[in-house]
Amino acid sequence: METKEGQKSYLITAISEQNNPWFRDSILPADVFRRYVEARGFSAYSVACLNPTSSEMYDRTYGWLGAQFNITGCLAPSDHPPSSHLDAIFQEIVLQNMVNENFVKKPGSNIDTPCDMEHIHNLLFNLPKISRNIQSWFQSASITGTWSWHALRSVEALLNQPLHNQDITSSDRLNHLKSLLICIALTSLDTSDWKKWWKNPQVQHFSFFGEYQIFSQAVLLPALLMGSTSDFQLENSTSDFQLENSTRNFQLENPSGWILPHHICVFKKPMVENERSPPSDLSQSTIPRSTWRFAMMMDPGTTISRRNMLASLNRTHVMLEKKIGNFVYRVLVFINEKFDGKVPDGIISWKDRKTISKIDENLQSFHSMMNLTRFREATSFILKIARLGNQYFQENKPWETFKLKNVTCQTTLWVSINIVRLLASMIDPFMPDIHDNILMQLDCQRQQMPLQLEFNLKKGHEIGFAFILFRTLRYSGI
């Protein structure tokens, strides 16, 4: 994927949590946002940094769920290509610049000291010297941006305390510091044009990570990059997945073009009841992956157990079956049976425009929530539009107006089939399988997600055969 000249592009990074229960971390939300950005017609480049545990189960879980990134990787032994590439990036971007400014120094020394990866264990990261810069950035960013209460108070509390030197003597501390740049290293490993993503003012950077990484991502990373001789675009927004998520941009002067996340999405780790352990292989689940994806975005949950997770999945599946599946099936079956599978024409009345106006209003709210990465609220607007479609179909009773041979029946079907097309576009980021199935039934091509209800299915378009999107679960297990 390449950036498009004159058009904003999106760099999406996801950092997985260790020992994350029920896969409630940043991987799937980052994939949902990537799909949304691409459905809107923008370029996107996505990177996932996995911990070794999640890396082992990636194909069995996130892979099965359909999470896709341009490149995935994790911190590995020193002889592994991503790790050696990371060493080079760390040396070039940070150490060579920061030593000259005395932001990295030897313990007990204020003298600039040349350093390399072999002698890194003798160094400290001098946070006190840069603390004023961090405070200034935070004060501006927290005013001009939109931060959730949880994230705002967390960073504020961290910065109200004196910042201490970060000892990078131990390999764990060093790896932690290096891991902040892993996404840059992975991008450079994947493409020679990586600077077009990391040094491009038209690129917006969305970063997804867990609440336990707030200090690393909202304090250490800005400090690390402000300490180098390059100026970076710094994030102005951070948030909590269960409250509010991300937002407007705030950019510092950026002569060398490096970017940091404009938008940060923080995910709270759910409490886990002490029952049976979560599954390690979702591909063995009898519940469709589309239901898994939608349920995880719609109901983040604060306490997770096998019992309430199964209840949530079943509840979500039944709701999708009734609100979306039923509407799609009714409309397509009616057109197939009464109009020989050809989309009828119609004349929009004031009553139709009233429904269309409500749909457009909810669609605008959906886009707003997606741009703020507030996926829970975004899913609610999908369901609201499906409900409006069902109400419109039911109130106009095409099975009765068809007998009268008037234009009302044709208009009802014409509007309804285009609502189905709109729903297909909206659910694409959350349930790509269902999106593809609806397009197959409509016998039409993928289109850019619209900003209002569009009537792209014209008179005479032949649809395919209708089939059930969400089959009733005879047995559901995890």
Side-chain angles (χ1 to χ4, degrees), residues 3 13-14 17 52 146 164 175 182 185 187 203 213 236 239 241 248 305 322 386 398 446 455:
T3 57
T13 57
E17 284 272 356
T146 304
H164 302 288
N175 284 336
I182 184 79
T187 309
V203 172
Q213 296 166 326
N236 74 312
S239 55
F241 180 61
R248 298 176 298 179
S305 68
K322 290 182 176 180
R446 179 187 296 268
F455 294 85

Side-chain angles (χ1 to χ4, degrees), residues 292-311:
W292 273 95
R293 288 178 62 99
F294 200 86
M296 288 194 210
M297 296 297 98
M298 186 185 70
D299 185 16
T302 54
T303 303
I304 300 298
S305 68
R306 184 175 292 269
R307 184 184 300 109
N308 62 29
M309 186 66 195
L310 182 58

Side-chain angles (χ1 to χ4, degrees), residues 312-339:
S312 174
L313 288 166
N314 278 297
R315 185 169 57 249
T316 300
H317 190 85
V318 171
M319 181 182 55
L320 291 171
E321 181 182 7
K322 290 182 176 180
K323 293 190 175 182
I324 296 179
N326 181 53
F327 172 61
V328 173
Y329 188 73
R330 291 175 72 191
V331 173
L332 270 66
V333 166
F334 198 95
I335 293 178
N336 271 319
E337 290 183 352
K338 304 300 183 182
F339 293 91

Side-chain angles (χ1 to χ4, degrees), residues 81-244:
S83 183
S84 59
H85 221 67
L86 179 58
D87 287 348
I89 291 291
F90 191 72
Q91 175 79 15
E92 176 184 353
I93 294 178
V94 179
L95 296 183
Q96 291 179 356
N97 292 327
M98 295 180 71
V99 167
N100 294 332
E101 298 294 329
N102 199 23
F103 289 120
V104 173
K105 63 179 185 178
K106 285 186 175 181
S109 172
N110 290 322
I111 301 175
D112 294 349
T113 307
C115 62
D116 52 47
M117 297 308 295
E118 295 180 0
H119 301 93
I120 185 68
H121 59 276
N122 294 322
L123 300 177
L124 293 175
F125 183 23
N126 191 355
L127 275 181
K129 184 173 181 179
I130 203 172
S131 62
R132 183 174 298 181
N133 300 44
I134 301 173
Q135 289 279 2
S136 177
W137 156 74
F138 173 73
Q139 290 172 5
S140 298
S142 59
I143 293 173
T144 58
T146 304
W147 293 50
S148 73
W149 184 90
H150 172 74
L152 181 65
R153 292 294 175 262
S154 297
V155 178
E156 193 175 51
L158 288 169
L159 296 182
N160 282 338
Q161 302 175 8
L163 294 178
H164 302 288
N165 287 327
Q166 292 291 303
D167 183 3
I168 50 180
T169 299
S170 68
S171 59
D172 289 342
R173 291 293 184 89
L174 172 58
N175 284 336
H176 176 67
L177 209 58
K178 288 165 58 180
S179 68
L180 300 180
L181 300 174
I182 184 79
C183 291
I184 300 177
L186 288 171
T187 309
S188 65
L189 186 67
D190 181 54
T191 173
S192 59
D193 293 331
W194 64 277
K195 291 185 179 180
K196 291 183 179 179
W197 292 101
W198 288 95
K199 303 187 72 172
N200 187 342
Q202 293 180 343
V203 172
Q204 293 195 40
H205 184 180
F206 281 70
S207 181
F208 295 78
F209 54 85
E211 64 174 338
Y212 295 112
Q213 296 166 326
I214 288 179
F215 177 73
S216 298
Q217 300 295 328
V219 178
L220 263 186
L221 182 57
L224 197 67
L225 298 176
M226 280 190 284
S228 71
T229 54
S230 300
D231 287 331
F232 292 76
Q233 289 179 213
L234 302 176
E235 64 269 17
N236 74 312
S237 309
T238 185
S239 55
D240 183 276
F241 180 61
Q242 294 176 317
L243 301 175
E244 306 168 271

Side-chain angles (χ1 to χ4, degrees), residues 245-466:
N245 286 62
S246 277
T247 59
R248 298 176 298 179
N249 294 345
F250 169 76
Q251 299 180 7
L252 296 181
E253 290 298 322
N254 186 23
S256 55
W258 283 97
I259 66 169
L260 253 172
H262 300 153
H263 310 265
I264 292 186
C265 316
V266 180
F267 298 83
K268 293 190 72 174
K269 192 172 185 178
M271 299 285 293
V272 181
E273 294 181 0
N274 188 21
E275 290 187 341
R276 296 161 60 191
S277 60
S280 60
D281 189 350
L282 292 188
S283 63
Q284 302 302 315
S285 171
T286 60
I287 298 174
R289 68 176 179 180
S290 294
T291 301
W292 273 95
R293 288 178 62 99
F294 200 86
M296 288 194 210
M297 296 297 98
M298 186 185 70
D299 185 16
T302 54
T303 303
I304 300 298
S305 68
R306 184 175 292 269
R307 184 184 300 109
N308 62 29
M309 186 66 195
L310 182 58
S312 174
L313 288 166
N314 278 297
R315 185 169 57 249
T316 300
H317 190 85
V318 171
M319 181 182 55
L320 291 171
E321 181 182 7
K322 290 182 176 180
K323 293 190 175 182
I324 296 179
N326 181 53
F327 172 61
V328 173
Y329 188 73
R330 291 175 72 191
V331 173
L332 270 66
V333 166
F334 198 95
I335 293 178
N336 271 319
E337 290 183 352
K338 304 300 183 182
F339 293 91
D340 297 325
K342 296 181 179 179
V343 176
D345 199 2
I347 300 175
I348 303 296
S349 67
W350 67 269
K351 188 177 181 180
D352 301 316
R353 293 190 185 281
K354 187 176 180 180
T355 298
I356 293 171
S357 176
K358 290 181 180 178
I359 289 175
D360 287 342
E361 182 180 335
N362 281 278
L363 181 57
Q364 290 296 325
S365 298
F366 167 80
H367 284 299
S368 297
M369 293 301 101
M370 289 299 292
N371 285 321
L372 297 176
T373 66
R374 293 170 61 170
F375 303 126
R376 185 176 188 174
E377 291 87 342
T379 58
S380 70
F381 289 109
I382 295 176
L383 298 174
K384 286 179 181 178
I385 290 179
R387 186 177 69 248
L388 286 170
N390 270 308
Q391 289 176 351
Y392 174 79
F393 190 84
Q394 191 69 26
E395 290 172 359
N396 283 279
K397 301 179 180 179
W399 53 91
E400 293 184 1
T401 56
F402 177 76
K403 299 175 184 178
L404 303 176
K405 302 295 182 180
N406 60 29
V407 74
T408 302
C409 177
Q410 298 181 36
T411 302
T412 301
L413 272 298
W414 182 49
V415 173
S416 296
I417 196 72
N418 280 286
I419 295 176
V420 169
R421 181 69 186 88
L422 173 64
L423 282 171
S425 295
M426 294 177 70
I427 66 178
D428 185 16
F430 299 93
M431 300 183 291
D433 290 346
I434 301 300
H435 165 265
D436 293 343
N437 286 339
I438 295 177
L439 292 192
M440 184 187 304
Q441 296 182 57
L442 294 176
D443 194 19
C444 64
Q445 301 296 318
R446 179 187 296 268
Q447 69 173 22
Q448 183 174 313
M449 189 183 296
L451 298 176
Q452 62 183 13
L453 178 60
E454 297 178 350
F455 294 85
N456 293 323
L457 295 178
K458 306 296 184 181
K459 175 183 177 181
H461 173 80
E462 292 191 25
I463 64 174
F465 292 102

